[in-house]
Amino acid sequence: MRLRTPLALLGAAVLVLVGPPLLTAGSGSETGTQIPGLRFMVPNTPGGGYDITARTAAKNAEDAGLTHNIEVFNLPGAGGTVGLSRLVSEHGNGKLAMSMGLGVVGAVRSNDAPKTLGDTTPIARLTEEQDVVVVAKDSPYKTIDDLIRAWKENPGKLPVGGGSSPGGPDHLAPMLMARAAGIPPKQVNYIPFDGGGELLASILGNKVAFGVSGVGEYLDQIKAGELRLLAVTGPERVEGLDAPTLKEAGYDVNFTNWRGIVAPPGLTDGERDKLVRLVEELHDSDEWRKSLEQNGWDDAFLTGEEFGAFLDAEDKRVVSVLKELGL
């Protein structure tokens, strides 16, 4: 079953705060994409997928001359719902946006959050990507079959780590894996982390038996040999990576994740349209296209009301899958 859903950047684990914007002439001012004082919130810890996506988008927008000196900051907590609550409280603030994705959809449900994505202004879905199943380089599991065999023998003793709350992509993917392998999902020992950055240390330190996260988050570690890639969760192998899809390995799972941008409620039409125009110009830039390729992200661009309808459908889909898995 596939959740049709679709995001490193230059040391993304470092929190970057920049000073007041300096307006200069350029393509941004000519096309109406300059937003002085624009701030980009990341609702989880540095180094995770939302963080990498936000910092990549900010740098690409600046390099393309679309706007200048975007401030990127992290406000982690409760799978992204702390940041979501902050965003919703900034009613009418057209100079704030938040990086988010399927993980926030799930966290709203699992945390019974008082604020939902329906309270935000949808701006754009940017990317889609596969999840990866990885272990530390010294792990005893050399193949996905090795891992599944040991997992089936004692599911509770092989903890799996993910960078999202229950209901998010890094939770749903291993639950679907378990079901495909004949393991009752309720027996899976899933340990949630607040983003892929926190998860990485536990994988490398063998605190979890294996981890599931977005391909773009761990691409560098996989290529450097620090992580061993066992499988990918999507419909096709990832170019440049030597690992089968789960379906190819005999496990009927076809799953992808996505990431996007939302803004506070109460924006004027002009404020909303300017944010949408900024990401449209970003999407068409050479800088962004290079970043898609470098991070293993698929283009899944969708804006405005269509993105809003997609968010509503994703909420319903998460509830449906959790019920189907008995969770």
Side-chain angles (χ1 to χ4, degrees):
M1 150 176 208
R2 184 178 189 190
L3 294 183
R4 272 298 303 175
T5 54
L7 155 198
L9 164 73
L10 317 169
V14 179
L15 176 63
V16 177
L17 293 176
V18 295
L22 176 63
L23 294 180
T24 61
S27 62
S29 57
E30 293 162 6
T31 57
T33 59
Q34 291 283 354
I35 305 177
L38 178 61
R39 306 177 75 221
F40 210 163
M41 183 197 304
V42 177
N44 62 9
T45 54
Y50 299 152
D51 189 70
I52 293 170
T53 301
R55 296 180 190 281
T56 300
K59 185 176 190 305
N60 288 170
E62 291 178 0
D63 288 348
L66 301 177
T67 193
H68 296 277
N69 294 345
I70 301 172
E71 177 187 328
V72 182
F73 68 100
N74 299 72
L75 185 63
T81 57
V82 170
L84 176 62
S85 180
R86 164 72 178 277
L87 186 83
V88 173
S89 74
E90 295 274 348
H91 189 278
N93 185 351
K95 297 187 176 184
L96 179 65
M98 186 179 84
S99 175
M100 48 71 70
L102 179 58
V104 176
V105 178
V108 166
R109 285 291 176 179
S110 62
N111 292 308
D112 196 22
K115 303 299 182 183
T116 74
L117 289 165
D119 296 316
T120 70
T121 299
I123 301 301
R125 185 183 69 190
L126 294 176
T127 65
E128 184 180 38
E129 70 171 345
Q130 302 198 39
D131 266 3
V132 291
V133 182
V134 292
V135 295
K137 63 181 179 181
D138 57 351
S139 168
Y141 310 117
K142 308 295 185 184
T143 67
I144 188 64
D145 286 332
D146 290 343
L147 173 63
I148 297 293
R149 192 177 304 114
W151 200 19
K152 290 178 72 172
E153 288 178 1
N154 200 330
K157 286 194 174 180
L158 263 73
V160 50
S164 59
S165 297
D170 300 350
H171 172 251
L172 293 177
M175 294 302 168
L176 293 169
M177 280 174 57
R179 185 182 66 175
I183 300 169
K186 286 187 177 180
Q187 293 183 15
V188 173
N189 181 8
Y190 177 76
I191 301 177
F193 294 83
D194 206 352
E198 283 192 358
L199 171 62
L200 179 61
S202 288
I203 300 173
L204 295 175
N206 292 304
K207 301 291 179 59
V208 294
F210 66 104
V212 177
S213 193
V215 60
E217 295 180 64
Y218 293 158
L219 198 57
D220 287 349
Q221 289 81 8
I222 291 168
K223 290 184 175 180
E226 296 173 10
L227 293 175
R228 181 183 300 144
L229 175 61
L230 301 184
V232 297
T233 65
E236 299 176 352
R237 290 190 175 213
V238 175
E239 186 176 351
L241 297 180
D242 183 20
T245 67
L246 286 169
K247 200 156 192 175
E248 182 184 345
Y251 307 100
D252 191 15
V253 176
N254 192 343
F255 179 88
T256 54
N257 183 21
W258 58 269
R259 296 193 180 96
I261 299 170
V262 293
L267 301 192
T268 66
D269 289 347
E271 289 170 330
R272 180 199 62 213
D273 292 348
K274 195 160 192 175
L275 283 166
V276 170
R277 189 159 56 244
L278 173 60
V279 294
E280 286 176 340
E281 294 286 338
L282 170 68
H283 170 259
D284 293 339
S285 70
D286 291 338
E287 289 82 358
W288 181 250
R289 294 183 186 279
K290 289 177 184 176
S291 292
L292 290 176
E293 182 177 353
Q294 290 170 355
N295 288 287
W297 297 335
D298 293 325
D299 187 5
F301 197 59
L302 192 67
T303 62
E305 292 181 1
E306 290 183 337
F307 180 41
F310 170 80
L311 289 176
D312 183 59
E314 284 300 278
D315 180 56
K316 292 179 173 65
R317 190 186 295 266
V318 164
V319 173
S320 174
V321 173
L322 289 174
K323 286 181 178 178
E324 183 183 337
L325 294 174
L327 299 171

